[in-house]
């Protein structure tokens, strides 16, 4: 089954990849890897904002992380021409806007991690970091970057 077929089976339609908000490129392919710049959680064209442990709970954070994951998939598809070129999701870096007392960043990050496993199966299981930060660009609740092993074109 192709990854596009898997996306349809999961009811996922990839959005238009978000444009960078500063002086960087969304992706760089080098040495058999695709490096994907941090992606924000967009819902209906708007960034999901808020602070975990203050005005967002873990479930809302997981949803935001999943939305970041969907945008990562959109960027990967645009860069590679097809998600079928993904050999493995190697690592996700998850940044969660958090109250200093909030310690469930790994539970929030699971929103994106579960999505990658659902889409790519075993190849979607990855290494990960999940850290709390005081603020993210545009007030985003979550930002996620990725390292992806890719098959030659």
């Amino acid at each position: 089954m192709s990854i596009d077929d898997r996306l349809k089976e999961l009811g996922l339609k990839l959005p238009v990849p978000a444009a960078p908000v500063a002086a960087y490129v969304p992706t760089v392919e080098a040495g058999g890897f695709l490096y994907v710049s941090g992606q924000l959680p967009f819902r209906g064209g708007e960034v999901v904002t808020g602070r975990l442990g203050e005005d967002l709970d873990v479930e809302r954070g997981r949803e935001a992380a999943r939305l970041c994951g969907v945008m990562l998939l959109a960027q990967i598809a645009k860069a590679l021409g097809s998600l079928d070129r993904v050999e493995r999701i190697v690592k996700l870096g998850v940044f969660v806007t958090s109250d200093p007392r909030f310690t469930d960043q790994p539970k929030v990050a699971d929103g994106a991690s579960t999505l990658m496993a659902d889409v790519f199966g075993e190849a979607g299981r990855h290494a990960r970091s999940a850290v709390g930060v005081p603020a993210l660009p545009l007030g985003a609740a979550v930002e996620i970057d990725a390292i992806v092993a890719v098959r030659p074109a």
Side-chain angles (χ1 to χ4, degrees), residues 11-122:
L12 285 175
K13 181 172 169 36
L14 298 182
V16 173
V21 297
Y24 62 90
V25 294
T27 59
V28 172
E29 186 176 352
F33 292 93
L34 183 70
Y35 299 85
V36 186
S37 296
Q39 299 299 305
L40 302 180
F42 283 90
R43 180 183 294 123
E46 299 292 322
V47 174
V48 175
T49 61
R51 182 180 306 276
L52 276 291
E54 188 174 294
D55 53 356
L56 296 177
D57 62 15
V58 170
E59 190 53 40
R60 295 283 309 273
R62 283 177 57 87
E63 291 169 13
R66 187 179 193 321
L67 291 169
C68 290
V70 170
M71 190 57 72
L72 283 168
L73 294 173
Q75 293 289 4
I76 294 166
K78 181 178 180 185
L80 300 179
S82 170
L83 289 173
D84 290 318
R85 282 193 59 207
V86 170
E87 187 175 309
R88 182 172 191 117
I89 304 298
V90 175
K91 184 168 193 281
L92 296 183
V94 182
F95 305 89
V96 181
T97 304
S98 306
D99 178 275
R101 294 172 303 272
F102 184 79
T103 60
D104 283 333
Q105 290 85 0
K107 291 179 183 175
V108 170
D110 282 347
S113 292
T114 301
L115 174 66
M116 295 304 158
D118 288 347
V119 172
F120 296 107
E122 187 61 29

